Every structure is written in C-alpha cells, then in structure tokens.
Amino acid sequence: QVQLVESGGGLVQPGGSLRLSCAASGFAFAGYDIGWFRQAPGKGREGVSCISTIDGLTYYADSVKDRTTISRDNAKNTVYLQMNNLKPEDTAVYFCAAVYGRIRYCGLGQGSYPYWGQGTQVTVSS
C-alpha cells in the first residue's frame, strides 16, 4: 500500500524556517520523483518544488526559489523541504506527491502525480 506522510509543519513567525518531511512506504521510493505542492486558503493547489530520481535534479517555483531547498534520503525513504525566510503568503497546507521517474527532470504538473499525502499545515504569522 502506497503511503506518503508529511510532517514538520506548524506556526512560525515571518522570517523563520521550517523543514518539512515526506516519509514514503509501500513502493520503490528510489525510483520515484517526489514533488511538493501547497494550497492556501481559498486558492488552488500550486507546485512548490520537486526532486527527480535520476541524478536528483531539482526544480523550484519562482515564489520559493532562493529560500527553499529540497533533498532526498533514499536510505530513509524520505524527502525534505527546507524553507527559510518564510513569509505570510507561504501559509498553506503542504502536500508531497510521488510519480515514477521516467525522464531526467521532474516537473510540477499535478496531474502527473498519482500518489499523494494528506498534507501538513504551515502558518506564517506574527
């Protein structure tokens, strides 16, 4: 049974940092691209970042570029999203998702990802 479990969310002040984790089980994790997505209140879900299985190449949305680092530990079946200098507009539920990696680069097309976690809440507020 495929399972993705996000953790690490919480309440943080503007300018603070959080590290989100996505723990995977039930599939051959090392062969899958992992993406992070978020959904803010009243808005649609948007892509944040992804990391490929082939070469571990990464991609970041412009909204988080230079403030965010995605990484993966295949030995622990876990992907991390380190977010720094958080802003109130980063407030959202953050989801991780998995798709079998077939090409060198990952992408943030939501429809490409068949497996999703339940999400973790990130709130940036003073």
Side-chain angles (χ1 to χ4, degrees):
Q1 178 181 355
V2 173
Q3 192 170 18
L4 296 168
V5 179
E6 303 92 338
S7 62
L11 173 64
V12 62
Q13 292 186 342
S17 298
L18 281 176
R19 189 178 79 158
L20 306 183
S21 298
C22 172
S25 61
F27 63 101
F29 177 79
Y32 281 70
D33 297 344
I34 304 296
W36 281 98
F37 299 82
R38 68 186 182 185
Q39 186 164 17
K43 295 187 177 181
R45 192 162 55 187
E46 64 173 355
V48 176
S49 180
C50 63
I51 186 165
S52 72
T53 175
I54 301 172
D55 297 332
L57 296 179
T58 60
Y59 177 81
Y60 300 94
D62 288 343
S63 58
V64 302
K65 195 177 295 183
D66 300 327
R67 302 188 292 123
T68 301
T69 303
I70 189 170
S71 60
R72 66 190 298 158
D73 185 340
N74 288 341
K76 295 183 177 180
N77 285 3
T78 300
V79 166
Y80 304 99
L81 189 72
Q82 176 70 42
M83 303 186 69
N84 302 318
N85 190 22
L86 283 160
K87 305 175 181 180
E89 52 264 42
D90 294 318
T91 295
V93 178
Y94 284 71
F95 302 88
C96 65
V99 59
Y100 183 72
R102 298 184 182 276
I103 61 175
R104 190 173 181 210
Y105 296 96
C106 63
L108 292 177
Q110 298 181 42
S112 300
Y113 289 80
Y115 306 118
W116 290 80
Q118 294 300 307
T120 185
Q121 176 71 47
V122 172
T123 302
V124 185
S125 176
S126 55

